[in-house]
């Protein structure tokens, strides 16, 4: 029930943004290689769908509010714990505390799709158009931060305004000058 398939799913959704049947088929194929479990597959589909809706928004095909973003993803999934957890996202409207979000949706610490994807979908439903805001809010849930942020960032980058992409690249270490690279 791992979340690895979901980490790879944004590119599938970006490519098949206009064909949900092929999107779901390819998301399932990409996931079952390493995570042949219904919940992992549905989590992978959910993230691929989130990416497709992000692309569709960027292209001006459709604009979704927070609830419709979640509902549209949920509508395309098979009955599963994943679909049920996304239903919980719909009832965490307003400005719930991070503690409530994590308690209800998870934060990836269990390393399952059901404990990772719902939180990311909730974050994307609110912050997908601003990469930096999306990543800071996602990382604040703690847990499996590299996974949740990789998933959220992979989708958010598809629809965010270019001026919201931080210039963090100028602040990172020059790996070619690292003592680990020398040898």
């Amino acid at each position: 029930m791992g979340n690895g398939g979901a980490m790879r799913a944004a590119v599938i959704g970006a490519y098949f943004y206009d064909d949900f049947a092929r999107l779901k088929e390819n998301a399932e194929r990409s996931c079952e290689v390493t995570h042949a479990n219904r919940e992992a597959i549905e989590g992978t589909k959910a993230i691929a769908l989130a990416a497709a809706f992000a692309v569709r928004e960027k292209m001006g095909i459709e604009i979704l509010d927070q609830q419709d973003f979640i509902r549209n993803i949920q509508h395309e999934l098979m009955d599963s714990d994943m679909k049920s957890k996304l239903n919980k996202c719909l009832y965490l409207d307003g400005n719930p505390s991070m503690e409530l979000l994590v308690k209800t949706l998870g934060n990836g610490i269990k390393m399952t799709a059901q404990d990772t994807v719902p939180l990311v979908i909730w974050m994307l439903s609110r912050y997908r158009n601003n990469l930096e805001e999306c990543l800071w809010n996602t990382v604040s849930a703690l847990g499996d931060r590299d996974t949740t942020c990789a998933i959220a960032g992979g989708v958010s980058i598809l629809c965010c305004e270019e001026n919201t992409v931080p210039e963090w690249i100028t602040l990172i270490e020059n790996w070619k000058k690292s003592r680990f690279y020398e040898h």
Side-chain angles (χ1 to χ4, degrees), residues 168-181:
W168 292 335
I169 193 79
T170 61
L171 304 175
I172 62 172
E173 173 185 17
N174 182 340
W175 61 271
K176 288 183 180 179
K177 293 182 180 179
S178 168
R179 64 186 176 113
F180 301 106
Y181 182 73

Side-chain angles (χ1 to χ4, degrees), residues 62-176:
E62 63 187 307
I63 302 298
L64 302 170
D65 65 20
Q66 297 168 359
Q67 297 290 307
D68 286 338
F69 182 80
I70 297 166
R71 278 190 197 101
N72 284 5
I73 294 166
Q74 187 184 37
H75 175 74
E76 294 292 333
L77 299 179
M78 296 174 61
D79 285 341
S80 58
D81 286 345
M82 180 62 61
K83 187 171 185 171
S84 177
K85 283 283 270 280
L86 292 184
N87 197 50
K88 292 179 179 185
C89 291
L90 294 170
Y91 294 98
L92 289 167
D93 208 10
N95 192 22
S97 70
M98 190 57 67
E99 182 181 356
L100 178 60
L101 285 173
V102 170
K103 182 181 261 186
T104 307
L105 303 176
N107 64 1
I109 201 159
K110 295 178 184 174
M111 294 187 269
T112 64
Q114 313 89 296
D115 186 57
T116 306
V117 172
L119 175 76
V120 172
I121 296 291
W122 190 93
M123 293 294 177
L124 289 167
S125 76
R126 277 132 184 94
Y127 307 114
R128 67 188 172 278
N129 295 313
N130 184 313
L131 178 67
E132 186 171 12
E133 189 175 4
C134 186
L135 291 175
W136 281 119
N137 279 284
T138 303
V139 79
S140 69
L142 303 177
D144 190 3
R145 295 170 291 238
D146 60 330
T147 300
T148 56
C149 286
I151 297 169
V155 174
S156 180
I157 196 72
L158 297 171
C159 68
C160 72
E161 295 299 322
E162 285 79 8
N163 64 358
T164 67
V165 177
E167 294 189 26
W168 292 335
I169 193 79
T170 61
L171 304 175
I172 62 172
E173 173 185 17
N174 182 340
W175 61 271
K176 288 183 180 179

